[in-house]
């Protein structure tokens, strides 16, 4: 799915212009707007899901974020069917959680080193790969979501040891972190970190200092919940009056304004908005061409950040 030769800075391996331009991720040049595949589990059947991924590649997406626990393997199987080696797509997956179809949230933590290794092996199998270009270690240090208890409270060094071993074995290409604190990131830097995935948006900016650290260290910042929301009780970017005003002025949607604000925030910000709707996919990609002037940016920057540390 990801040939060794990097596409040109301005276009993908398929010749498509890069939405929002190029950036670096795990040593590769990728488009700044990628695709978060979690929502594919809500697609109206397998064929529409495959078609949506093919459309994303046509639009210049060459960074797809996934996980074995998305749809209990369904999403990975769709990616395996839809994405071809010549597409030059960097597939990023994650470990640290596993499917739990009978559970309250259909998800359980899997933080122990042997579970991380098993998670990588499961992803390799379902994606049909010998090597995953990037694997994110999902921890529970910060942000909304599950919290580790009991034997799921695992020291970072033990987790990084197995991730580094998997990289040395050639099973993964690079290591990322997800749902981490700044202290965790600093501890992990010697292991070589390619990206950080934390909840971050116009209305959830608690991690400004960590974003700055990532920029200084050449680490990609790949926010999840880029429009807020995502879980009940979390604020939504599209509810903000400043966002509505900007959308009216620009002739865009509120969601496009929220995504464009992220792209303007720092050059190391890469987006992975997810959708199961083809029209929404087109709109998300088009956000990369949305220019925000200084007055609009100032109005958006004045939107207050809200607490978003909700544990499940």
């Amino acid at each position: 799915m990801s040939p060794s030769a990097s596409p040109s800075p301005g276009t993908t391996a398929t010749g498509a212009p890069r939405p929002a331009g190029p950036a670096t991720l795990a040593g590769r040049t990728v488009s700044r707007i990628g695709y978060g595949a979690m929502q594919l589990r809500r697609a109206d059947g397998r064929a529409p899901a495959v078609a949506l991924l093919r459309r994303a590649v046509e639009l210049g997406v060459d960074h797809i974020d996934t996980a074995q626990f998305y749809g209990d393997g369904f999403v990975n199987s769709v990616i395996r069917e839809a994405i071809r080696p010549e597409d030059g797509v960097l597939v990023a997956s994650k470990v640290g959680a596993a499917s739990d179809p009978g559970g309250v949230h259909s998800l359980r933590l899997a933080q122990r080193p042997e579970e991380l290794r098993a998670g990588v092996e499961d992803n390799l199998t379902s994606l049909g790969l010998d090597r995953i270009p990037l694997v994110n270690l999902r921890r529970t240090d910060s942000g909304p979501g599950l919290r580790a208890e009991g034997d799921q409270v695992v020291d970072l060094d033990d987790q990084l040891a197995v991730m580094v071993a998997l990289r040395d074995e050639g099973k993964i290409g690079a290591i990322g972190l997800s749902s981490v604190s700044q202290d965790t990131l600093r501890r992990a830097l010697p292991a070589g970190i390619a990206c950080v995935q934390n909840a971050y948006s116009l209305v959830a900016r608690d991690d400004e200092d960590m974003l700055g650290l990532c920029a200084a260290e050449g680490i990609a910042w790949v926010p999840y919940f880029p429009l807020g929301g995502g879980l009940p009780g979390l604020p939504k970017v599209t509810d903000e009056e400043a966002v509505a005003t900007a959308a009216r002025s620009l002739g865009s949607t509120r969601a496009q304004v929220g995504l464009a604000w992220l792209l303007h925030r720092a050059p190391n910000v890469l987006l992975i908005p997810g959708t199961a709707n083809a029209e929404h996919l087109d709109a998300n990609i088009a956000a990369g061409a949305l220019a925000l002037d200084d007055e609009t940016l100032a109005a958006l920057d004045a939107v207050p950040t809200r607490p978003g540390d909700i544990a499940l």
Side-chain angles (χ1 to χ4, degrees), residues 26 35-36 40 69 72 79 100 103 137 165 189 197 201 222 229 248 251 255 291 293:
Y35 177 75
L40 277 181
F69 53 84
D72 197 17
I79 292 171
D100 184 19
L137 166 59
L189 287 177
Q197 290 189 349
S201 70
V222 187
R248 287 193 295 269
D293 60 27

Side-chain angles (χ1 to χ4, degrees), residues 112-135:
R112 298 193 306 273
E114 66 271 20
E115 292 176 308
L116 300 181
R117 178 173 285 277
V120 167
E121 296 290 355
D122 287 345
N123 275 281
L124 286 167
T125 298
S126 59
L127 289 167
L129 296 176
D130 296 323
R131 175 179 174 272
I132 304 170
L134 169 64
V135 175

